[in-house]
Amino acid sequence: MKIFTKTKNLIEYISQFRNKQIGFVPTMGALHNGHISLIKRSVQENDITIVSIFVNPTQFLENEDFDKYPKKIEADKKVCNFAGVDILFIPSKEEIYFKDELSIVAPKTKGFILEGYHRPGHFNGVLQVVLKLLNITKANKAYFGKKDAQQLYLVKKMVNELFLPTDIIECEIIRDENGLALSSRNDYLTSSEKERATKISRSLKNAAKLISNGEKSSKKIKEKIKNELQDIKIEYVEIVDRDFNIQNEIAIGDSIILIAAFVGITRLIDNIWI
Ligand code: AMP
């Protein structure tokens, strides 16, 4: 596995793979089995797999956890090597951003509802860095988790609307044995908080069961979820279609139930695709 920290060197190295199929997995590190599932899929489907580890400052708000975001760089290198990664890119902020640079603005509506409403500007930063990384890696395929459903939707929208040549591959959510969606931020949870956090995924599963038994009302499903999560500080529970329009009536094959909630001071997101 080759490791690069300089963008210029990476671009030069990649130029020899013009005739190869390149898969790319962008991450912020502190890798867990969720990331590994994306990486393994890329290794399987491509000649060359590139993984990036970059805690992107522009997608964090002032009061968020940028400074304390978990870092496990040595363990991450081992994980990548073991998973069959060919190229690991670990740039500094200066390797990615320029002074007074032009910027991408997320779509006015879909980029500023739900996650984008509670974290205003977050998706501007996400799209800015993803566009740069897709251009640097010249990936044929890039792998994103459904865990970050709105991010996945907006990245696909950007790729479509800016006519980028990369295929965006959607990957399933990986959970621990208790159903908790894996996240680097789970490292912040105490063991009792972790137990409480499992209620989030359980409530989503219960909602899916109600829906498969015929419930169609988004209002009723949202009420049920809020009832189950009374000891968790919910930021939002919402049901959208696959284009992120708020949905009043659930449609099997076209609905996503989304939750953002604080367990202690840790903000978690989870969702289920119906
Ligand atoms: P992050 O390092 O949190 O920015 O995540 C990097 C990529 O891994 C994103 O595409 C995430 O959606 C994906 N990812 C994170 N957690 C999971 C998970 N539990 N299951 C599947 N994909 C995930």
Side-chain angles (χ1 to χ4, degrees), residues 25-38 52 54 59 69 143-149 151-152 171-175 180-185:
V25 183
T27 82
M28 298 207 297
L31 301 179
H32 51 65
N33 281 334
H35 298 114
I36 293 170
S37 72
L38 273 55
S52 64
F54 180 59
Q59 70 188 67
Y69 196 82
Y143 296 79
F144 288 84
K146 287 175 161 184
K147 160 91 172 17
D148 299 279
Q151 166 177 289
L152 170 63
C171 300
E172 295 305 320
I173 302 175
I174 305 298
R175 301 175 178 282
L180 177 64
L182 297 186
S183 162
S184 306
R185 289 189 169 98

Side-chain angles (χ1 to χ4, degrees), residues 110 153 240-245 254 256:
K110 307 285 172 71
Y153 168 75
V240 295
D241 67 15
R242 297 285 201 266
D243 279 324
F244 269 81
N245 300 300
D254 189 36
I256 310 173

Side-chain angles (χ1 to χ4, degrees), residues 167-206:
D167 285 337
I168 301 301
I169 311 295
E170 304 182 356
C171 300
E172 295 305 320
I173 302 175
I174 305 298
R175 301 175 178 282
D176 74 7
E177 61 281 7
N178 299 316
L180 177 64
L182 297 186
S183 162
S184 306
R185 289 189 169 98
N186 292 353
D187 285 7
Y188 300 147
L189 300 171
T190 64
S191 56
S192 71
E193 285 175 340
K194 222 171 199 176
E195 209 176 295
R196 202 144 40 97
T198 61
K199 290 186 180 181
I200 297 172
S201 61
R202 212 169 313 133
S203 73
L204 288 168
K205 244 174 137 180
N206 290 341

